[in-house]
Amino acid sequence: MQFRKSWIMALALTSVVALSACGNNGGNNAATNNGGNAAATNTQNSSGAELSGSILASGSTALQPLVEQVAEKFMDANAGVDIQVQGGGSGTGLTQVAEKQVDIGNSDVFAEEKLKDADAEKAAALVDHQVAVVAIAAVSNPDAGVDTLTKQQLIDIFTGKITNWSEVGGADQAIQIINRPASSGTRATFESFALGTKTEDLPGSIQEDSSGTVKKIIGETPGAIGYLALSYLDDSVKTLSYDGVEPSVDNVIAGKYPVWAYEHMYTNGEPNETVKAFLDYFLTDEVQTGDVVELGYIPASQMQVSRDVAGTVTAK
Amino acid sequence: MVGRIYMSFCVMLLIVIIVSMVYFVASKGIANFVNGEVKVSEFLFGTKWSPEADTPSYGAFPFISGSFLVTLLAALIASPLSICAALFMTEIVPGWGKKLLQPVIELLSGIPSVVYGFVGLSVIVPFLRNTLPGQGIGVAAGALVLSVMILPTITSVAADALASLPQNLKESSFALGATRWQTISRVILPTTFPAIMTGVVLGMARAFGEALAVQMVIGNAPFVPRSLFESASTLTSVITLGMGNTTMGSPQNNALWSMALVLMLMTFVFVLLVRMLERRNKI
C-alpha cells in the first residue's frame, strides 16, 4: 500500500515538474524578448545611453566567428549587455528568429529563399541586416593544370558533361566533384551566381559540409574540383579564375566578380534599442575594416554594387 | 523513505523523457506522410533524393541501404578481431594479455568520433586511394573506420561472456583429454555464442547510429553505391548535413525527421534482438 502511494506521489511530482519546466521555458523566452525591450526603454531617457539586456543570436556557422568576436567587443564596451551566439545553421537561425525564440537569426541566404510557400508570411515579418559579404571561388587540386574556367565549362563540369580535365585544357585526369549538401547556403550561392542553374547530385560525387574538410579533400584528391569561401583559400588548393576574372576582394567590391552573397542578421520586426545598437555597431568602420576583414569576410559597407533577393545587381 | 521517493521520481522523469522523445521524433517523422507530401513507399523505396528540385522527390532508399551496408561490413570486419582479442584475454594469456589489451580496448572506446573521422580521412582514405580503385572516400573507408569504433563494444561483451563461463565445463573438457584448441572451438565458443552475438548486435547498433566519423569519410552522395569504393550516404550523415540548413516544418526538414524515425525503429529492432539473444543465453 505504502509502495503504491509513493509511486503515485512520484508520478504526480514528475508531471508537475515537467509541466512547470514547460511553463518556465515560455516565461524565459518572453523575458528574453520583452525584457530586452523594457530594459532598453528604461535607459532611453539618460543621454549616456547605458545599454542593458540580453541578446540571443543563432544560425549560420559561416557567420558565427564574426558575430562572436564582435559580441565580445560590444560586451566589453557595454557592461550591462549579455550576448550569446549559437551556431546550428542558417535554417535553424531563420526558424528560431521567425518563432521569436532568438533575437537575431544569422543566415547565409535571404530569408525568402528558405522560408517558402506556407512559410512565406514568416519571411515577410523579418527585417534584414546585411553585415558582411562572402565571396566563393571555384578551386581545384593543384595538379589539374587549369587556371581559369568559363561559366559554360563550370556548368558542364558540375552537370557531368565534362568528366576529364583534358577537355578544358588541363591534365589527362578524371574530374572528381567535391560538392556541398543540397541545402547548403554556400552551394546555393555558387549555383545561383557561378552556374546560374541548380544542379543535381551526380553518382560518385563527394559531399562535405565543413569548409576545412572540403579544402583538405580537394588538396589531396587527384582531379578534385569544388568551391570555397575566399577566407579559406591557401596554397594547398588552386584558385580558379571565373571567365578570366580573378576572385579577389577588390574584384568583388568593384562588382567584377559575381560569385558572392550577403551574410544576413535577421530580426523579427524592428529590433529593440539594445539589439539595434549591436547591429549598428557591425556597420561602424571599426568593425567593417577591422574584424570583418581580419576574419576573411568582405565589408558590406564598401561594396560598390548591391544585390536584391531576386539576384538583380545594381550599382550603388 | 526519502531515498525511495527520490528514486521513484528519477525513474518517472526518465520515463517521461523517453516517452516524450519517442513522441516528438514520431510525430515529426510521420508529418510528411500524414499531410500527403510524401508516400511511405516512395520514402522507403524511392532511389531519387532531390529535395531542392522544382518537383522535389524524397526517396531515402540510398541512405537506408547505405546504413545497412556499412553496418554489416563493419560487423564482418570487427567481429573476428574482437572475438579473437576476447579469447586471447580470457583463455590464451589471461595474465599479461589481459593487462595489455584491456586498457587499449578501453582507450579505443573513449576516443571521440571526430578523431576517428579525421584519422580515417588522413590515413585510411589516402591508403585506399593509392592501393585500390576509386578516390578512397566511400563505403569501404566508412566500414573500416566504423569497424575500429565498434571493436571495444564487441570485445568487452565477448570477454565478459567468456570469463563468466563455469570453470568446471572447461576442466571436464581438459579431463577428457581435449587440447586447448579443441576446448575453445568445441566447448567454449558454442556455449558462449549467444552472449558473443549480443556483443555483435550491440556493436552493430552503435555502428548504425554513428554519424560524424562516417560522414567525414563516406562521401555522402545520395546514390546506392555500385562498388565498395564509391561515395554513398548513411541515414545519420544525411541528417547531420541537412538538419541545420533546412527550416523547421519544411517538407525537407520533415523528411530528415522521417529518417530519424527509421533510425529509432532500427534501434528498437537491435534492442529486441539483444533481448532474444539474452533469453537464449540463460541455459
Side-chain angles (χ1 to χ4, degrees):
Chain A
M1 190 59 213
Q2 200 189 13
F3 174 77
R4 177 172 289 171
K5 216 190 234 165
S6 67
W7 273 89
I8 291 172
M9 237 176 94
L11 184 64
L13 251 172
T14 318
S15 37
V16 166
V17 168
L19 283 174
S20 67
C22 294
N24 261 342
N25 207 350
N28 277 342
N29 279 341
T32 318
N33 291 316
N34 304 335
N37 261 324
T41 26
N42 281 343
T43 55
Q44 212 160 21
N45 316 349
S46 55
S47 53
E50 182 68 23
L51 294 164
S52 65
S54 63
I55 303 175
L56 186 58
S58 79
S60 163
T61 45
L63 186 52
Q64 197 179 0
L66 176 67
V67 180
E68 274 170 356
Q69 184 167 324
V70 174
E72 284 294 324
K73 290 172 93 173
F74 192 76
M75 283 190 284
D76 284 344
N78 301 278
V81 181
D82 178 47
I83 305 173
Q84 278 190 42
V85 186
Q86 299 167 352
S90 301
T92 306
L94 289 169
T95 309
Q96 293 191 331
V97 75
E99 288 170 3
K100 298 196 175 175
Q101 289 166 354
V102 297
D103 304 290
I104 301 173
N106 300 326
S107 172
D108 303 334
V109 294
F110 281 97
E112 290 85 344
E113 294 174 61
K114 284 277 179 199
L115 297 165
K116 285 180 287 198
D117 306 329
D119 292 330
E121 288 172 36
K122 288 184 188 168
L126 300 181
V127 180
D128 189 5
H129 307 267
Q130 295 160 353
V131 294
V133 163
V134 168
I136 290 155
V139 293
S140 73
N141 184 276
D143 299 331
V146 169
D147 290 323
T148 181
L149 288 174
T150 63
K151 180 179 180 178
Q152 191 56 47
Q153 283 172 331
L154 273 178
I155 294 172
D156 289 347
I157 288 173
F158 279 90
T159 52
K161 267 187 213 142
I162 293 179
T163 55
N164 194 298
W165 283 106
S166 62
E167 293 172 64
V168 290
D172 182 16
Q173 170 76 56
I175 293 175
Q176 172 66 52
I177 297 171
I178 318 289
N179 226 328
R180 300 296 177 105
S183 53
S184 144
T186 308
R187 173 156 167 182
T189 305
F190 185 76
E191 289 185 341
S192 312
F193 304 117
L195 306 180
T197 171
K198 283 203 162 151
T199 57
E200 299 263 312
D201 293 307
L202 299 171
S205 71
I206 291 168
Q207 288 184 30
E208 296 287 342
D209 201 27
S210 130
S211 297
T213 311
V214 168
K215 185 170 81 172
K216 185 174 160 67
I217 294 177
I218 293 177
E220 291 173 358
T221 308
I225 187 171
Y227 37 90
L228 283 169
L230 290 197
S231 51
Y232 281 94
L233 300 180
D234 63 22
D235 289 342
S236 68
V237 293
K238 172 88 188 155
T239 308
L240 303 173
S241 294
Y242 178 74
D243 275 338
V245 183
E246 193 196 336
S248 67
V249 173
D250 290 339
N251 281 341
V252 175
I253 287 176
K256 288 182 196 157
Y257 183 78
V259 192
W260 56 270
Y262 290 112
E263 290 292 344
H264 311 261
M265 293 175 77
Y266 279 100
T267 54
N268 199 328
E270 285 303 324
N272 69 43
E273 200 196 6
T274 311
V275 175
K276 187 173 188 315
F278 178 54
L279 290 171
D280 286 345
Y281 180 58
F282 270 91
L283 297 177
T284 59
D285 274 351
E286 185 193 347
V287 171
Q288 288 284 309
T289 56
D291 307 84
V292 169
V293 176
E294 186 189 313
L295 291 174
Y297 306 86
I298 297 169
S301 61
Q302 287 181 14
M303 291 296 290
Q304 289 164 16
V305 291
S306 63
R307 185 152 61 198
D308 63 13
V309 62
T312 321
V313 178
T314 45
K316 264 187 185 169
Chain B
M1 186 61 198
V2 176
R4 190 190 191 109
I5 291 176
Y6 178 69
M7 201 183 72
S8 315
F9 168 72
C10 287
V11 170
M12 284 294 169
L13 191 65
L14 193 69
I15 293 171
V16 169
I17 290 173
I18 293 170
V19 168
S20 45
M21 267 187 69
V22 171
Y23 171 76
F24 182 73
V25 174
S27 63
K28 284 232 147 226
I30 61 169
N32 264 354
F33 308 133
V34 171
N35 65 22
E37 198 84 43
V38 186
K39 280 204 215 75
V40 181
S41 57
E42 184 199 330
F43 175 78
L44 287 179
F45 304 111
T47 53
K48 191 168 158 60
W49 172 257
S50 54
E52 301 274 320
D54 294 329
T55 46
S57 52
Y58 302 98
F61 183 73
F63 316 133
I64 296 172
S65 62
S67 277
F68 275 103
L69 191 59
V70 285
T71 302
L72 287 173
L73 276 174
L76 278 179
I77 300 169
S79 301
L81 293 173
S82 310
I83 294 166
C84 288
L87 278 172
F88 188 79
M89 287 197 302
T90 51
E91 302 299 326
I92 316 282
V93 222
W96 65 264
K98 191 171 176 106
K99 277 203 190 97
L100 179 83
L101 266 177
Q102 189 90 40
V104 174
I105 304 277
E106 278 162 12
L107 195 75
L108 274 184
S109 64
I111 297 174
S113 320
V114 65
V115 175
Y116 278 109
F118 198 74
V119 169
L121 206 55
S122 309
V123 181
I124 294 177
V125 166
F127 171 77
L128 289 176
R129 180 165 57 225
N130 295 333
T131 51
L132 292 162
Q135 294 292 2
I137 288 177
V139 179
L144 281 173
V145 169
L146 271 181
S147 65
V148 182
M149 296 181 76
I150 65 174
L151 268 178
T153 313
I154 306 181
T155 309
S156 46
V157 175
D160 284 349
L162 292 172
S164 65
L165 199 67
Q167 198 62 29
N168 56 16
L169 215 61
K170 271 184 278 178
E171 275 158 8
S172 330
S173 170
F174 286 131
L176 285 169
T179 61
R180 182 156 72 177
W181 174 243
Q182 283 169 333
T183 308
I184 289 175
S185 61
R186 305 277 172 80
V187 177
I188 296 175
L189 282 182
T191 31
T192 51
F193 181 75
I196 291 175
M197 279 314 289
T198 308
V200 174
V201 173
L202 284 173
M204 284 172 72
R206 159 131 212 234
F208 205 79
E210 169 53 40
L212 194 55
V214 181
Q215 181 210 308
M216 286 170 83
V217 298
I218 198 168
N220 308 308
F223 292 94
V224 181
R226 288 166 299 194
S227 87
L228 291 185
F229 308 106
E230 201 179 68
S231 170
S233 299
T234 61
L235 290 165
T236 48
S237 73
V238 178
I239 294 174
T240 49
L241 285 177
M243 201 55 101
N245 288 326
T246 53
T247 49
M248 274 275 182
S250 60
Q252 186 179 358
N253 190 272
N254 284 337
L256 295 176
W257 282 107
S258 306
M259 289 186 212
L261 182 62
V262 173
L263 274 172
M264 203 171 70
L265 293 177
M266 272 314 295
T267 313
F268 288 156
V269 171
F270 282 124
V271 170
L272 220 69
L273 267 176
V274 169
R275 283 297 170 117
M276 280 162 61
L277 286 166
E278 267 172 1
R279 200 166 301 157
R280 265 195 65 191
N281 206 9
K282 281 178 197 147
I283 306 165

